[in-house]
């Protein structure tokens, strides 16, 4: 185990968890059907959150993550704590809400968490401020990322920050796609036609909106393409 093997690539991130080890977070939301998938470095940790542990049945663990944004678990972006109280709003989720609203061209309050977008990471163990991510990145992303993306039905992959970009880069190269562009137009990527956009990490000092990061023609192309894709799905 990484907690006992100090040379294991995941030891730093596991040992950074001050309390009982929290299960890795595979994804949040409806991975199969959400049209947008945000990919970031690793999930942050809140030791007081009501969160699965090794005593939970597998089916309950799966349900927890697939239904993460239902009101009984996450009410208005506030997670349920062990005490029964609610945490402050999760800033990261709030930012994804605004990025999704940009793509859907709707008001942020109309975005449905877990349905309009899902979330995953290149490293699945939880820590604060990306602690241990650099050391565990290759091990974790090579083991799980391709499998997750093959299951995901997302047509738009939004890669957030440098670690997420580093994690997905080998897959892009493997699939014959450019790894040095901010915007990759519709391409066959792991069995699906998808667009990929690379944005800075949420909370950073950099500009993070699609319209700020993409060239004007690319931003407009993305909005039109996504709208057309959504219309085609709704007509089925």
């Amino acid at each position: 185990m990484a907690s006992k093997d100090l040379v294991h690539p995941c030891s730093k991130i596991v040992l950074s968890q001050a309390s009982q080890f929290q299960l890795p977070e595979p994804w949040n939301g409806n991975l199969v059907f959400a049209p947008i998938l945000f990919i970031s470095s690793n999930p942050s940790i809140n030791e007081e959150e009501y969160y699965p542990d090794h005593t939970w049945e597998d089916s309950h663990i799966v349900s927890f993550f697939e239904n993460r944004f239902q009101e009984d678990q996450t009410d208005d972006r506030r997670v349920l704590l062990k005490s029964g109280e609610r945490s402050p709003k999760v800033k990261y989720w709030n930012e994804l809400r605004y990025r999704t609203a940009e793509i859907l061209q709707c008001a942020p309050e109309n975005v449905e968490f877990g349905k309009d977008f899902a979330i995953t990471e290149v490293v699945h163990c939880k820590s604060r401020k990306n602690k241990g991510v650099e050391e565990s990145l290759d091990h974790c992303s090579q083991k799980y990322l391709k499998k997750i993306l093959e299951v995901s039905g997302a047509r738009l992959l939004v890669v957030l920050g440098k670690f997420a970009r580093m994690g997905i880069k080998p897959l892009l190269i493997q699939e014959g796609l450019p790894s040095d562009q901010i915007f990759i137009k519709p391409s066959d990527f792991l069995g699906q036609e998808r667009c990929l956009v690379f944005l800075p990490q949420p909370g950073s000092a950099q500009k993070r909106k699609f319209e700020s990061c993409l060239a004007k023609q690319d931003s407009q192309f993305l909005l039109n393409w996504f709208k057309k894709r959504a219309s085609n799905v709704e007509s089925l």
Side-chain angles (χ1 to χ4, degrees):
M1 293 178 63
S3 60
K4 297 180 180 179
D5 181 2
L6 297 184
V7 299
H8 192 286
C10 301
S11 64
K12 184 175 180 178
I13 195 168
V14 170
L15 292 173
S16 74
Q17 299 186 7
S19 59
Q20 182 180 359
F21 175 64
Q22 290 200 358
L23 295 180
E25 192 168 290
W27 60 79
N28 287 297
N30 194 322
L31 182 68
V32 175
F33 293 108
I36 302 172
L37 179 65
F38 289 98
I39 306 169
S40 63
S41 57
N42 77 311
S44 185
I45 190 168
N46 180 349
E47 290 87 352
E48 300 306 315
E49 181 183 0
Y50 176 73
Y51 188 83
D53 60 31
H54 69 280
T55 66
W56 287 37
E57 297 286 343
D58 288 348
S59 60
H60 293 166
I61 294 173
V62 171
S63 177
F64 177 89
F65 292 112
E66 287 186 349
N67 302 302
R68 188 72 180 279
F69 300 109
Q70 291 187 359
E71 287 187 7
D72 59 337
Q73 291 185 193
T74 305
D75 185 14
D76 192 26
R77 292 153 284 146
R78 302 175 190 270
V79 300
L80 180 64
L81 303 178
K82 297 172 185 176
S83 65
E85 299 178 340
R86 294 283 175 178
S87 73
K89 291 184 179 179
V90 179
K91 294 180 180 179
Y92 171 62
W93 291 348
N94 195 52
E95 180 152 342
L96 301 191
R97 178 193 194 194
Y98 278 93
R99 297 293 79 77
T100 301
E102 278 189 77
I103 294 298
L104 298 182
Q105 301 176 66
C106 69
E109 55 268 26
N110 292 332
V111 171
E112 294 188 60
F113 285 60
K115 179 180 179 182
D116 291 328
F117 71 88
I119 303 170
T120 194
E121 291 84 14
V122 292
V123 171
H124 298 282
C125 282
K126 300 158 77 73
S127 70
R128 288 189 176 86
K129 298 182 179 179
N130 298 322
K131 188 169 184 178
V133 169
E134 186 172 4
E135 292 81 0
S136 57
L137 177 61
D138 288 345
H139 175 80
C140 199
S141 60
Q142 290 175 17
K143 192 171 183 179
Y144 299 113
L145 184 58
K146 183 178 181 180
K147 296 176 182 178
I148 290 172
L149 295 182
E150 287 175 336
V151 172
S152 169
R155 299 302 186 179
L156 173 60
L157 303 181
V158 186
V159 183
L160 302 167
K162 68 175 184 178
F163 289 121
R165 185 162 194 159
M166 290 166 61
I168 202 172
K169 183 176 180 178
L171 286 179
L172 295 174
I173 294 173
Q174 178 183 310
E175 296 291 313
L177 296 178
S179 60
D180 57 350
Q181 296 181 8
I182 294 176
F183 177 48
I184 300 176
K185 288 188 175 182
S187 304
D188 184 6
F189 183 47
L190 299 176
Q192 303 247 26
E193 183 189 58
R194 315 182 199 249
C195 283
L196 287 86
V197 179
F198 297 87
L199 298 181
Q201 182 167 308
S204 72
Q206 297 173 273
K207 293 180 179 180
R208 305 189 298 276
K209 293 182 178 180
F210 290 100
E211 63 178 16
S212 301
C213 296
L214 301 182
K216 185 175 181 180
Q217 63 270 23
D218 288 340
S219 179
Q220 194 57 56
F221 176 91
L222 177 61
L223 293 177
N224 292 338
W225 175 82
F226 192 87
K227 184 176 182 180
K228 183 178 180 180
R229 292 291 316 178
S231 298
N232 290 341
V233 171
E234 290 174 359
S235 65
L236 294 179

